[in-house]
Amino acid sequence: MPETQLPGDGARGPDTEAPFTPKGPINEMWAARPQWVRRGEAFFHVLRVKFAHAVLLPELSPDQAYDLRQTVRQEGQLTHGYVLMCALAAGIAILGLLQSSTAVVIGAMLVSPLMSPIAAMGFGFASLDGHRIRDSIRVVAIGAGIGIATGIVLTWLSPIRNATPEILARTEPNLLDLAVALFSGIAGGYSTVIGKGGTAIGVAIATALMPPLTVIGYGIGVFQPMFALGAMLLFLTNLAAITFAFALIARLSGAARPFGKVEWTPRYATILVAAFLALATPLTMTLMKLTNEARIRSAAQEAIIAACGDRGVTIAQLDVSSSLLGSPKVKALVIATSYTGNAEIAAENALKATLGEDVDVSLQQVLAADVRSQTQAMVDAAMERTTAGIAADVPPYKAIRQKVGLPTRSIWTDRAQRMVYLEPVPAPDWTLADYRATEKAASQGVNGWTVRLMPPPQPRLTVLLEASEDAQVPDDAIATDLGIWALQRWGLGEVTLSGADPTRLTALARLLADAGIAAQIDGAVIPPSEDPQASGEDGAEAVPHAITATIAVYATSPSRLEAQRAEREAAARAAALEESFSAP
């Protein structure tokens, strides 16, 4: 495309020597500005040059600045290649987001062409060039529309539409996202000015733009308007931050058009103001949101520590999120020396009294008695978050505890297997069957997560092996499958069997082996009779008894093993001594 003259730039070429002079009352006032204004202008010009040199920015000559503006404008134009690459980048991005693959999302960044029109928009703001801003916004809007449409279509065509951590991470902006956008814009502007822009900078900028665009399409495709609105706010916030960073670098380096060449016509000024408001409004909303979250975070730290007892309480993780609709949410992982009941309600009441608004608190308490245990708990929590990729994908702890209906001693998660392990406080009159039924009910009410309830441990289990209809069954006897369930929840790898004949114990050991639990048969404990019929007193009719087996849950203590070894050695010495005396 041939190079075209920019409004407000000096004419170039052998046939046009006179520079372009903007017309209008504001421009005439600027041309007639007094001497003291000119001196102030020169002073700030010197300051800008010195600051630019301090941050390693070159000072461009008027000709170099003009050539750079023309180059940036041409690279930011709408072409068939731009449309194609936007569609391809959006397709790769949505597929990577759906399968939660960071590598695939990076592939989308490599081919994203959004850098060029954003650079042109930033240079337009630096030069107060309404025409260039208008053209750049049109190119960016077309690219954004292609990205959203591609996200919608591929979401509809995909058999998997789960909200992955990669998607959830882009549904609301946070301070880190804003920092990434600012640094990406500064890096992009610097590389453009020194003439070393390229794919690497495009990757950094696309990091903050193309994935949120496809998440908007995903939210529309699965009919989740909150996902779409959150991703839209993130996209506009990052777009504004990157654009203003480009404008700052262009102005500091002298690449922007001098203010005296700005054309202040009503139509021109309207375009400039409207574009500025369109970008500044979402950025302002995000900054207000982040400020409110910081205020809630500070108050939540004090409220949670006070609710958990003040002493020996450490907040390992604290996440605060707020949406356009609904109450703010606080999710915290607390490491304490003892469990505190109703801590969530106490924290919510304290936050409402402090902030004057309702805050939904989800509190996870982990017990750790000493410093070493506390440190390990914090490391485990950090590693769990790193492995998961993003803390947003957390199980509904509050709903799980409500379904369990018991005070919780500790709760932890295995994100790889998507399981929630919960250890309640021992409840009076609750049996193992009650705990298993509660676990089943809690798992059914939680989508995408499986609940594993840890029943209070017992030293031994009496397992029912065989019983007739009128047999007398011990009160503490349980079914075999219930016993295996309890052993699995306790995480046991080996137990000891006794109380029945070896044949039945061997059959029980096979069942335990199928469940991944090794079993040893204690041959020293054999029932006195294999007959399930026991004789009644005074010749009364025999009463049938159920056949049971005893599972020793706890392993023999080391001190007991040492005592048994000492007893065997003493018996062996006594036998040897007796044999020596009896020898002829």
Side-chain angles (χ1 to χ4, degrees), residues 32-55:
R33 62 190 182 278
Q35 189 64 28
W36 65 270
V37 175
R38 297 177 184 272
R39 291 178 180 176
E41 180 185 358
F43 175 74
F44 284 109
H45 173 75
V46 173
L47 289 181
R48 178 188 63 78
V49 172
K50 290 184 177 181
F51 183 78
H53 290 167
V55 296

Side-chain angles (χ1 to χ4, degrees), residues 194-257:
I194 66 175
K196 294 185 178 180
T199 303
I201 305 304
V203 172
I205 297 176
T207 302
L209 291 176
M210 186 54 75
L213 285 174
T214 54
V215 173
I216 297 173
Y218 169 82
I220 297 174
V222 297
F223 303 104
Q224 291 290 339
M226 296 307 299
F227 284 2
L229 290 176
M232 176 65 77
L233 180 60
L234 175 61
F235 167 74
L236 293 177
T237 299
N238 292 336
L239 176 62
I242 294 171
T243 301
F244 293 149
F246 260 100
L248 176 64
I249 297 299
R251 176 53 61 181
L252 288 176
S253 64
R257 186 174 54 180

Side-chain angles (χ1 to χ4, degrees), residues 464-474 504 532 544-548:
L464 181 63
L465 300 180
E466 181 181 337
S468 59
E469 293 183 0
D470 55 348
Q472 183 177 354
V473 180
R504 290 189 173 91
H545 284 264
I547 300 176
T548 60

Side-chain angles (χ1 to χ4, degrees), residues 56-189:
L56 304 180
L57 281 172
E59 174 62 21
L60 301 179
S61 65
D63 288 343
Q64 291 174 332
Y66 177 87
D67 292 337
L68 180 59
R69 291 196 298 270
Q70 292 294 331
T71 300
V72 171
R73 177 183 180 182
Q74 291 178 2
E75 292 179 351
Q77 291 179 344
L78 181 64
T79 62
H80 295 293
Y82 173 83
V83 173
L84 175 62
M85 296 304 289
C86 281
L88 293 176
I92 297 172
I94 187 61
L95 294 177
L97 293 172
L98 287 174
Q99 57 183 320
S100 194
S101 174
T102 304
V104 177
V105 176
I106 292 176
M109 301 172 190
L110 291 172
V111 298
S112 174
L114 291 174
M115 172 186 174
S116 297
I118 295 174
M121 188 188 306
F123 272 66
F125 273 104
S127 302
L128 299 180
D129 189 339
H131 297 288
R132 179 178 295 186
I133 294 173
R134 178 196 59 194
D135 295 340
S136 301
I137 288 179
R138 182 172 66 92
V139 177
V140 173
I142 292 175
I146 293 173
I148 295 173
T150 303
I152 295 174
V153 173
L154 292 184
T155 299
W156 285 343
L157 297 177
S158 173
I160 302 175
R161 303 180 183 178
N162 298 334
T164 62
E166 289 285 344
I167 293 177
L168 295 176
R170 292 170 173 85
T171 55
E172 57 182 26
N174 55 44
L175 185 59
L176 296 180
D177 293 324
L178 184 59
V180 169
L182 286 173
F183 285 125
S184 297
I186 293 174

Side-chain angles (χ1 to χ4, degrees), residues 527-554:
S529 173
E530 297 181 5
D531 187 1
Q533 302 289 334
S535 299
E537 297 181 359
D538 300 330
E541 184 179 357
V543 179
H545 284 264
I547 300 176
T548 60
T550 301
I551 301 178
V553 176
Y554 293 164

Side-chain angles (χ1 to χ4, degrees), residues 253-524:
S253 64
R257 186 174 54 180
F259 289 130
K261 300 295 184 179
V262 176
E263 182 182 3
W264 291 105
T265 62
R267 179 170 176 269
Y268 189 95
T270 301
I271 296 175
L272 184 63
V273 172
F276 178 82
L277 293 178
L279 292 180
T281 299
L283 184 60
T284 303
M285 293 175 59
T286 300
L287 292 176
M288 293 176 59
K289 175 178 177 293
L290 295 178
T291 302
N292 185 48
E293 290 180 355
R295 181 175 61 93
I296 296 175
R297 179 185 297 274
S298 178
Q301 289 179 341
E302 298 179 1
I304 291 174
I305 292 177
C308 293
D310 289 325
R311 300 184 60 183
V313 177
T314 302
I315 300 179
Q317 294 179 6
L318 180 62
D319 296 324
V320 179
S321 62
S322 59
S323 59
L324 299 177
L325 303 175
S327 302
K329 297 181 179 179
V330 174
K331 297 178 182 179
L333 173 63
V334 176
I335 301 175
T337 56
S338 62
Y339 177 81
T340 304
N342 298 324
E344 289 183 352
I345 298 177
E348 289 178 352
N349 293 335
L351 286 176
K352 185 175 182 179
T354 303
L355 302 175
E357 60 178 330
D358 293 329
V359 179
D360 186 10
V361 177
S362 178
L363 190 60
Q364 177 184 358
Q365 299 184 51
V366 176
L367 303 185
D370 52 20
V371 176
R372 181 177 180 180
S373 300
Q374 294 176 2
T375 303
Q376 186 61 44
M378 295 180 67
V379 171
D380 293 342
M383 291 300 297
E384 180 181 346
R385 166 175 282 188
T386 302
T387 304
I390 196 69
D393 184 24
V394 296
Y397 294 115
K398 190 172 185 178
I400 292 174
R401 284 192 289 265
Q402 289 176 348
K403 287 185 175 296
V404 170
L406 291 174
T408 304
R409 173 176 293 172
S410 62
I411 183 170
W412 64 98
T413 59
D414 181 356
R415 295 184 184 274
Q417 303 295 327
R418 299 192 67 79
M419 290 186 179
V420 179
Y421 295 90
L422 186 143
E423 182 183 3
V425 174
D429 302 328
W430 275 57
T431 64
L432 291 177
D434 296 328
Y435 287 108
R436 184 170 67 169
T438 302
E439 177 191 271
K440 183 178 180 180
S443 295
Q444 292 176 348
V446 181
N447 295 327
W449 294 88
T450 302
V451 177
R452 291 288 182 262
L453 194 66
M454 304 293 109
Q458 301 179 13
R460 62 184 55 84
L461 297 177
T462 301
V463 177
L464 181 63
L465 300 180
E466 181 181 337
S468 59
E469 293 183 0
D470 55 348
Q472 183 177 354
V473 180
D475 295 336
D476 59 347
I478 61 176
T480 303
D481 61 334
L482 181 59
I484 293 175
W485 172 84
L487 295 175
Q488 289 176 330
R489 295 298 177 268
W490 292 330
L492 295 176
E494 184 176 353
V495 294
T496 303
L497 307 180
S498 62
D501 64 274
T503 302
R504 290 189 173 91
L505 292 181
T506 301
L508 177 59
R510 285 196 295 268
L511 293 176
L512 292 172
D514 294 338
I517 304 172
Q520 295 183 356
I521 298 177
D522 188 357

